[in-house]
Amino acid sequence: MRASSVVVASAAALLLTGVAACSGASGDDPQPAPSASSAPPSEAVSGARGLLAAKAATALDKAYSALYSFDDGNGQPRNVVAQIGRDGTWRVDVSGGALGGTADVTIVSTAAGVFQCTLGSQSNPISPTCVKVAKPGKRVPADYSPKVERLFRPGLSVFTDRQAALSVAEVPPLAGAKGTCFSVDSISASLTAPVDVGIYCYADDGVLTAVRVGFGELKVSNQIDGPATVPLPGPETAGPPMGMDAPPAAPPVQPTGIVPSA
């Protein structure tokens, strides 16, 4: 399957490092957040819910770039590259993530807002452009979202919120996944789930290592340290953003000089 030039370049950089996971020994890496057990009693959350909150708090301070394989069950798994900056900016590139799988797309979050950006490829060498699709920290509208971006930074604030309507249980790791895994479900039937329900796995340093949700399964392949900040890959334009569905087929062209029969 075709992968964007940005996805391929990022994947190659990750693979050339030969690093399966960051050790956290770099001087630029933030210190791990305190665990729930070391928090004051008034702030402690017991059991799996508290452990997930501690993992999410660590993840909020972790900068990394990682290559993932995403399998939505509809064919060959696709590449996903996530970049989390030390300043809280982030970017998720999804190969074949827009226009019914015919276009590569990236979602980027900066202090100015959340953007959907086009990505060029060898077969489609366009210059990337970006369209603002949400205010800072807000969710991308469903019409413009490849969904995968929701599995990274956006869910962490929910996992650290003790008031979120979630049921959490620690479960065995997904096949081929490392880290601690949690089954996350909503406990409110009347409200939209604050995150995608499913299984989330995190390494000790806060890196997301695997996820299984209703729209697919994501697993990390390789990882390196993250950048200081994540900029937009191209200039902001007025839009419109790309949709997720395949564009309608063009009507057949009538040969000139032939009048259709009644």
Side-chain angles (χ1 to χ4, degrees):
M1 178 174 292
R2 176 177 60 84
S4 72
S5 57
V6 174
V7 171
V8 171
S10 300
L14 291 167
L15 293 172
L16 286 174
T17 64
V19 180
C22 290
S23 65
S26 169
D28 292 332
D29 284 347
Q31 294 298 314
S35 66
S37 61
S38 64
S42 61
E43 298 179 3
V45 185
S46 62
R49 184 71 180 89
L51 183 56
L52 175 59
K55 294 284 186 182
T58 301
L60 283 170
D61 289 330
K62 178 64 178 177
Y64 65 95
S65 297
L67 168 66
Y68 294 83
S69 175
F70 176 63
D71 187 355
D72 61 4
N74 293 323
Q76 183 179 352
R78 293 175 283 159
N79 284 337
V80 170
V81 174
Q83 298 181 61
I84 313 297
R86 290 195 294 271
D87 61 353
T89 56
W90 55 266
R91 165 179 172 171
V92 177
D93 296 356
V94 185
S95 176
L99 299 179
T102 63
D104 303 318
V105 64
T106 185
I107 302 296
V108 187
S109 177
T110 71
V114 184
F115 298 81
Q116 185 208 76
C117 304
T118 60
L119 293 175
S121 66
Q122 291 181 347
S123 61
N124 186 29
I126 62 173
S127 297
T129 59
C130 299
V131 179
K132 187 174 181 178
V133 292
K135 294 181 179 179
K138 298 299 182 180
R139 197 165 179 163
V140 178
D143 288 347
Y144 312 127
S145 169
K147 300 180 182 179
V148 182
E149 82 282 353
R150 303 199 304 243
L151 306 178
F152 292 90
R153 191 87 179 186
L156 296 179
S157 60
V158 179
F159 292 155
T160 57
D161 180 5
R162 290 179 294 167
Q163 304 304 315
L166 297 177
S167 171
V168 179
E170 188 173 347
V171 296
L174 296 174
K178 296 181 179 180
T180 306
C181 297
F182 304 88
S183 173
V184 178
D185 203 351
S186 174
I187 59 175
S188 176
S190 61
L191 299 175
T192 301
V195 294
D196 292 284
V197 298
I199 296 176
Y200 292 76
C201 304
Y202 291 93
D204 290 342
D205 62 359
V207 171
L208 182 71
T209 60
V211 181
R212 178 185 291 162
V213 289
F215 57 83
E217 186 167 295
L218 186 81
K219 290 183 180 178
V220 70
S221 301
N222 217 332
Q223 173 202 335
I224 58 175
D225 288 338
T229 189
V230 179
L232 294 178
E236 180 181 356
T237 64
M242 292 186 292
M244 296 297 103
D245 296 332
V253 178
Q254 287 287 347
T256 58
I258 298 179
V259 178
S261 59

